[in-house]
Amino acid sequence: MVTILILIILGVCILAGYYRGVIYSAVSIGLTLLSFFLALLMIPVIATPVRESKSLYGSLLYYFEGYEFVSKTSVEMIHDPVASVDGDTLSEVVENAALPIPLDRAVERNIRREAYASRGITTIGDYFNQTIVDVVLNIISLLLLFVVIRVLFGFILRMIDYGSRGLPRLKRFDPLFSCGIGFLHGVMLLYIFFLCAPIVLTIVPKLGVHLIDTPLSGFFYRMNPFMWLVPTV
């Protein structure tokens, strides 16, 4: 089912590129990339007010219960200070937790750097919980901002296109190049869409597995360059 949806999205993007032409398609893919990076920079616009709300942020910390991931190795380790855990033990705990990408590396990185020391957070359990909530919140903020910004840019692009009676087209190879750019645009949009995979895998693991259980969907999840750009704190 997910594979069919991926192929439909790619097909629609290729057709859109074919009908709109190479210049429109190139501008469109550029706006999508610009929207993503603007949304990435603006994550604090949404994430910071949520973190400052003790009730809302506290509910998120309670709901995700990162302590359960530590207990897969040892219940006693939940309250161990991060400063007392050596590298090999930490790697074992993270591996046993089987967290989705990029939560696994984010947790390990934050513990090694003691990233939350300034907040008075010191235990392994709290680091797991805090990191999971922060990364999930950052992803949600990023996706919401991306949609808003991209819709706005899309509206402006269409206004310019209609106002100029259509952007110019290449005299030769326009359909070939525009279809290729449309395909690349579809790949980029799928990469962004699959940023939701870690959230689904964390909240509903059994459902999340179906999201990445095919080679094609697994590719967009595991080989996603945008995953590594999401802030971890």
Side-chain angles (χ1 to χ4, degrees):
M1 187 65 178
V2 177
T3 300
I4 295 175
L5 179 60
I6 290 173
L7 294 176
I8 290 174
I9 292 173
L10 290 175
V12 169
C13 289
I14 292 172
L15 286 175
Y18 176 81
Y19 284 109
R20 291 174 176 173
V22 66
I23 295 179
Y24 188 106
S25 299
V27 173
S28 185
I29 195 174
L31 290 177
T32 295
L33 194 59
L34 177 60
S35 299
F36 176 82
F37 283 105
L38 285 176
L40 192 65
L41 293 173
M42 295 173 64
I43 284 176
V45 172
I46 294 178
T48 299
V50 174
R51 291 191 179 98
E52 291 176 349
S53 172
K54 292 183 179 181
S55 59
L56 183 55
Y57 194 59
S59 297
L60 289 174
L61 290 170
Y62 176 79
Y63 179 79
F64 280 95
E65 297 182 345
Y67 309 106
E68 294 183 358
F69 293 99
V70 183
S71 64
K72 292 181 180 180
T73 300
S74 172
V75 176
E76 289 76 15
M77 289 190 67
I78 292 175
H79 302 292
D80 286 352
V82 294
S84 67
V85 181
D86 60 76
D88 291 338
T89 302
L90 175 59
S91 297
E92 180 185 358
V93 174
V94 173
E95 183 178 354
N96 291 340
L99 287 165
I101 301 170
L103 295 176
D104 49 359
R105 295 187 182 183
V107 167
E108 186 169 1
R109 186 185 305 116
N110 284 349
I111 290 177
R112 290 185 186 277
R113 292 165 43 198
E114 298 187 33
Y116 295 118
S118 60
R119 302 188 195 179
I121 298 172
T122 58
T123 66
I124 296 178
D126 285 335
Y127 262 81
F128 264 78
N129 203 26
Q130 194 80 35
T131 300
I132 291 171
V133 170
D134 279 345
V135 174
V136 167
L137 178 58
N138 287 338
I139 291 175
I140 293 174
S141 301
L142 172 61
L143 292 175
L144 289 175
L145 288 165
F146 169 77
V147 170
V148 172
I149 296 171
R150 186 61 185 86
V151 168
L152 178 61
F153 279 156
F155 177 76
I156 294 173
L157 178 59
R158 288 187 182 88
M159 291 294 291
I160 294 173
D161 185 39
Y162 293 147
S164 60
R165 296 182 180 179
L167 295 175
R169 290 175 175 265
L170 299 180
K171 292 183 179 180
R172 299 181 62 185
F173 307 117
D174 188 279
L176 178 64
F177 288 143
S178 59
C179 286
I181 294 175
F183 173 78
L184 292 177
H185 196 185
V187 170
M188 184 183 298
L189 290 174
L190 285 167
Y191 276 140
I192 295 173
F193 169 78
F194 270 88
L195 287 176
C196 70
I199 302 175
V200 179
L201 285 166
T202 302
I203 298 175
V204 193
K206 292 183 179 179
L207 177 61
V209 169
H210 294 294
L211 185 62
I212 59 169
D213 64 351
T214 67
L216 191 56
S217 59
F219 170 81
F220 285 105
Y221 166 64
R222 296 183 180 88
M223 305 299 292
N224 193 331
F226 293 148
M227 288 282 191
W228 312 116
L229 298 177
V230 178
T232 59
V233 293

